[in-house]
Amino acid sequence: MSHPLLAVERVSKTYPGGGSAALHDVSLHLAPGELLALTGESGSGKTTLLRLVAGLEEPDAGTVFLNGRRVEGPAGKLIAGHPDIRVVFQDFRLFPNVSVAENLRHALRQYDAAYRDRRLREMLALAKLESLKDRLPRQLSGGEQQRAALARALADEPALLLMDEPFSNLDPALRRDLRGEIGAMLAGSGCGVILVTHEPADALSMAGRVVLLRAGRVLQSGSPRDLYRRPETAYAARFFGPANLVPTGDLLPLLEGSAAGRLLATQLSPLVGRTLCLRPEHLLPSPAADAHLGGTVQAVSFYGAYEEATVALKAGLSLRVHVPVGHWQPGQPAWLRLRESAWHLLAV
Ligand code: ADP
Ligand code: MG
């Protein structure tokens, strides 16, 4: 492996007066230019880890290395933080009384005029803010402010950018647009990025790699596809989207009704004692003759692009299934196939 930009080695942190550890034995590595999403529910330790990485907080144990050099905590420093690391907070923190261009120039104030002018032009172009450069922050939309804050953070080519819940103050439509815009800006910058977000959709759609924290520990890390399709735990499976978690032994007797079902049962029978994770879009409505399973549609909810049906099987088992809008009505018989190689077994 090439030498990482960032190495977090077994850090732990308990706040004074806090009961359990905010972080426990957490390690992670980041390559140059990589975008890593740090996700988990509220209180899982995301912000604490970001603050340790930024040198704004000292770990109780473990070490943070940036380019092989230890990142010092805040003790004894005149200016908190690390000179090669930028943090973008959710409230942007632009200077309110000066223009976008002045905000960027301020971030470049210690450099010579040639570099300053070049980076100002490059950042305005990257953020698509050329025509808005003379406006005050309050004269920009939320998304434009977000792009301006990011341009300011990237202006002098930091090694590492940390973003803590950068979309949480923005409405959902803007959030969807910004994932693409900010993702493109970050990819164009070449900067290593840690994006903290409690929204699984942000993590899955923007990151090259995702780290899931739970109660201060790394529960699982991997590519977005791995975490969505190959969750190791029930918690990870549910965190990243709706999941039917079915004990293999409960499913087996229901597969005896058809040839396809019996074939699948022979594949699954060595796996009794394990739990299957079936995403609702991995269960497909099928003609009765080819079905693995049969049941009755109990309820249908409209989600815009699809509907989620609850299908009651025998033995009290029910499955959530995503189907085209209008495909099923409650009360109707439902025949299902498990999509080829889409089923997955939890590790525990
Ligand atoms: P997240 O960003 O994932 O929501 P945090 O890192 O903010 O999580 O918090 C992790 C845990 O540490 C939580 O239990 C929180 O209550 C606690 N915590 C965070 N900051 C402090 C603090 N300054 N003092 C005491 N406890 C804190
Ligand atoms: Mg937080």
Side-chain angles (χ1 to χ4, degrees), residues 15-16 22 41-49:
Y15 288 103
E41 64 188 46
S42 177
S44 58
K46 305 181 296 296
T47 295
T48 300
L49 183 52

Side-chain angles (χ1 to χ4, degrees), residues 124-312:
L124 289 172
L126 186 67
K128 299 197 166 62
L129 289 171
E130 290 110 325
S131 61
L132 304 176
K133 68 178 174 18
D134 297 321
R135 291 207 193 165
L136 297 175
R138 67 167 177 274
Q139 297 170 319
L140 301 178
S141 71
E144 289 158 357
Q145 288 184 44
Q146 175 64 266
R147 297 195 324 251
L150 189 53
R152 188 179 63 176
L154 294 171
D156 67 341
E157 303 172 86
L160 177 61
L161 179 74
L162 308 175
M163 304 177 85
D164 195 357
E165 305 281 2
F167 308 129
S168 63
N169 283 347
L170 305 171
D171 62 50
L174 187 56
R175 202 178 173 111
R176 280 195 294 274
D177 293 345
L178 268 184
R179 281 184 198 131
E181 290 172 16
I182 298 296
M185 257 186 92
L186 292 173
S189 76
C191 187
V193 182
I194 298 181
L195 169 73
V196 160
T197 176
H198 66 276
E199 271 293 327
D202 293 342
L204 294 177
S205 65
M206 295 184 67
R209 203 151 48 84
V210 179
V211 172
L212 174 62
L213 286 182
R214 184 186 191 192
R217 294 166 195 261
V218 175
L219 192 64
Q220 192 176 348
S221 66
S223 71
R225 275 161 205 261
D226 273 350
L227 285 177
Y228 186 79
R229 295 187 181 163
R230 317 220 161 276
E232 289 166 3
T233 53
Y235 182 89
R238 291 204 186 93
F239 184 84
F240 287 103
N244 299 292
L245 301 176
V246 187
T248 307
D250 291 1
L251 198 64
L252 283 181
L254 306 180
L255 294 170
E256 297 302 324
S258 68
R262 283 188 291 276
L263 194 62
L264 183 61
T266 55
Q267 281 178 276
L268 293 179
S269 57
L271 304 169
V272 169
R274 307 281 299 275
T275 301
L276 277 163
C277 170
L278 303 167
R279 296 284 184 198
E281 70 277 21
H282 293 156
L283 291 161
L284 305 175
S286 131
D290 307 324
H292 294 127
L293 288 162
T296 307
V297 179
Q298 263 191 331
V300 177
S301 313
F302 177 66
Y303 278 85
Y306 61 88
E307 285 179 339
E308 183 171 288
T310 308
V311 174

Side-chain angles (χ1 to χ4, degrees), residues 24-69:
H24 185 85
D25 201 12
V26 169
S27 298
L28 61 85
H29 290 182
L30 186 77
E34 190 179 13
L35 198 164
L36 181 137
L38 192 57
T39 193
E41 64 188 46
S42 177
S44 58
K46 305 181 296 296
T47 295
T48 300
L49 183 52
L50 210 67
R51 291 178 58 80
L52 290 177
V53 167
L56 299 171
E57 202 86 64
E58 183 78 39
D60 300 336
T63 318
V64 176
F65 295 98
L66 185 73
N67 282 320
R69 314 239 336 237

